Amino acid sequence: MTQPSVILATASYDHTIRFWEAKSGRCYRTIQYPESQVNRLEITPDKRFIAAAGNPHIRLFDVNSTSPQPVMSYDSHTNNVMAVGFQCDGKWMYSGSEDGTVKIWDLRAPGCQREYESRAAVNTVVLHPNQTELISGDQNGNIRVWDLTANSCSCELVPEVDTAVRSLTVMWDGSLVVAANNRGTCYVWRLLRGTQTMTNFEPLHKLQAHDGYILKCLLSPEFCEPQRYLATASSDSTVKIWNVDGFTLEKTLVGHQRWVWDCVFSVDGAYLITASSDTTARLWSMSTGEDIRVYQGHHKATVCCALHDGAETAAT
């Protein structure tokens, strides 16, 4: 099977993962995932595998195979896995779960290599571009920085007491971090380097982005420069695009009929893919704010999407 240059996948409460031709909208592969819903999808940097975070397992599937079976299963979480991602050259994977832990996994070995206790259900985890710090957000409103070199929590903050942090995103150059919560608010910090490697947060902005929950916030990628955007996907069925320079509203993406759970930028920031409870995923033009493709095939809420349309970054 020849590898497509653009890998686009979605997962749904209908217990399937679907792969789509981005331009035509045709679904060319469906993986049945009977044991749980899939909460998050992430494609490895080399485009070879896709991780599906479920309850309580993480399964790794071969992107270029037709086999319905996973190539590896990661099994030590004890509750819903809400976050999953990869280190930049694909050597290891990180995850966060409602069991209150953040874990690190060597992709070549079945067991978990490290575990950090958040003491509350973890909703979101991001890797700092320096590849040495994980930032987690939990149901109790805590944000924690896990220093992988020191193997400890180096920083802790609570932007709003008892308000769940739903989503975290870090600017590609490590200059900003944004946390989105259940009250529709985004907190923005500048990330400052101390004399140690520790990341310090300097409050920059508080943005009341939506009246409903924010389910995903995402900063635009490097190749979008000099434009810098923040996308916020909400239970109000819209996605809003904010200019990071001043956090002014650029566009509101209107078309989904129900909650928008996830979004992902194309590598150049020219397009955005979204996943919604209305069962569809959509492709949006960032320049016009219009949806240019609707991906239809799931029978229940589509809750996550993954896109890799950049160059493969091979593991060294």
Side-chain angles (χ1 to χ4, degrees):
M1 183 174 169
T2 58
Q3 177 161 310
S5 60
V6 176
I7 297 156
L8 169 59
T10 57
S12 162
Y13 284 162
D14 66 11
H15 293 274
T16 67
I17 300 165
R18 288 177 176 265
F19 290 83
W20 307 86
E21 287 175 359
K23 283 185 178 156
S24 71
R26 185 179 78 88
C27 174
Y28 64 87
R29 181 186 177 194
T30 303
I31 297 172
Q32 301 296 325
Y33 201 95
E35 59 259 70
S36 82
Q37 81 272 13
V38 175
N39 303 306
R40 187 65 62 206
L41 290 172
E42 195 71 39
I43 299 161
T44 55
D46 63 8
K47 290 187 178 179
R48 290 181 58 205
F49 301 103
I50 188 166
N55 185 3
H57 316 284
I58 305 165
R59 306 267 196 253
L60 200 66
F61 293 91
D62 189 331
V63 164
N64 302 308
S65 160
T66 53
S67 167
Q69 299 306 316
V71 293
M72 186 76 92
S73 185
Y74 304 90
D75 296 329
S76 70
H77 280 299
T78 57
N79 206 330
N80 259 319
V81 183
M82 301 303 289
V84 66
F86 296 98
Q87 178 249 8
C88 64
D89 60 10
K91 285 195 173 76
W92 49 266
M93 176 174 75
Y94 59 88
S95 61
S97 165
E98 288 180 346
D99 66 13
T101 66
V102 173
K103 292 180 189 270
I104 291 179
W105 316 78
D106 184 318
L107 285 182
R108 296 153 298 192
C112 153
Q113 268 60 52
R114 291 194 201 177
E115 179 177 309
Y116 301 107
E117 273 291 341
S118 188
R119 301 190 295 281
V122 176
N123 293 326
T124 176
V125 183
V126 288
L127 178 61
H128 190 288
N130 64 20
Q131 308 293 304
T132 63
E133 290 169 310
L134 287 171
I135 309 173
S136 67
D138 70 28
Q139 196 64 19
N140 289 358
N142 304 296
I143 295 171
R144 292 191 175 90
V145 180
W146 306 96
D147 182 331
L148 305 183
T149 311
N151 209 22
S152 64
C153 178
S154 62
C155 178
E156 215 171 303
L157 66 158
V158 184
E160 214 171 314
V161 177
D162 291 334
T163 303
V165 176
R166 292 301 294 246
S167 183
L168 288 165
T169 179
V170 182
M171 186 60 85
W172 63 269
D173 61 1
S175 61
L176 292 179
V177 64
V178 180
N181 73 18
N182 267 355
R183 291 187 179 161
T185 311
C186 284
Y187 288 87
V188 186
W189 295 270
R190 268 199 195 94
L191 289 185
L192 303 172
R193 289 267 145 210
T195 47
Q196 278 70 44
T197 56
M198 193 175 89
T199 291
N200 294 305
F201 288 68
E202 179 191 274
L204 180 65
H205 196 75
K206 180 182 175 183
L207 175 69
Q208 192 55 47
H210 297 266
D211 292 331
Y213 303 141
I214 300 174
L215 303 167
K216 178 71 176 268
C217 64
L218 188 63
L219 287 160
S220 55
E222 178 179 359
F223 298 115
C224 187
E225 296 288 319
Q227 277 79 33
R228 290 188 163 199
Y229 299 115
L230 170 69
T232 55
S234 171
S235 61
D236 67 12
S237 79
T238 71
V239 179
K240 291 183 178 177
I241 307 297
W242 307 85
N243 192 323
V244 170
D245 183 21
F247 290 93
T248 51
L249 182 63
E250 286 267 323
K251 291 183 178 69
T252 302
L253 309 184
V254 178
H256 281 301
Q257 304 302 308
R258 299 181 68 185
W259 291 25
V260 186
W261 286 95
D262 199 6
C263 62
V264 59
F265 280 104
S266 62
V267 70
D268 59 0
Y271 301 97
L272 189 76
I273 303 272
T274 55
S276 167
S277 290
D278 66 13
T279 75
T280 71
R282 288 172 190 252
L283 172 68
W284 306 82
S285 162
M286 287 289 288
S287 60
T288 66
E290 300 293 315
D291 58 342
I292 48 183
R293 184 70 64 240
V294 180
Y295 304 97
Q296 289 179 300
H298 285 299
H299 307 302
K300 291 184 179 174
T302 303
V303 292
C304 53
C305 51
L307 176 70
H308 191 333
D309 62 329
E312 301 86 24
T313 49
T316 47

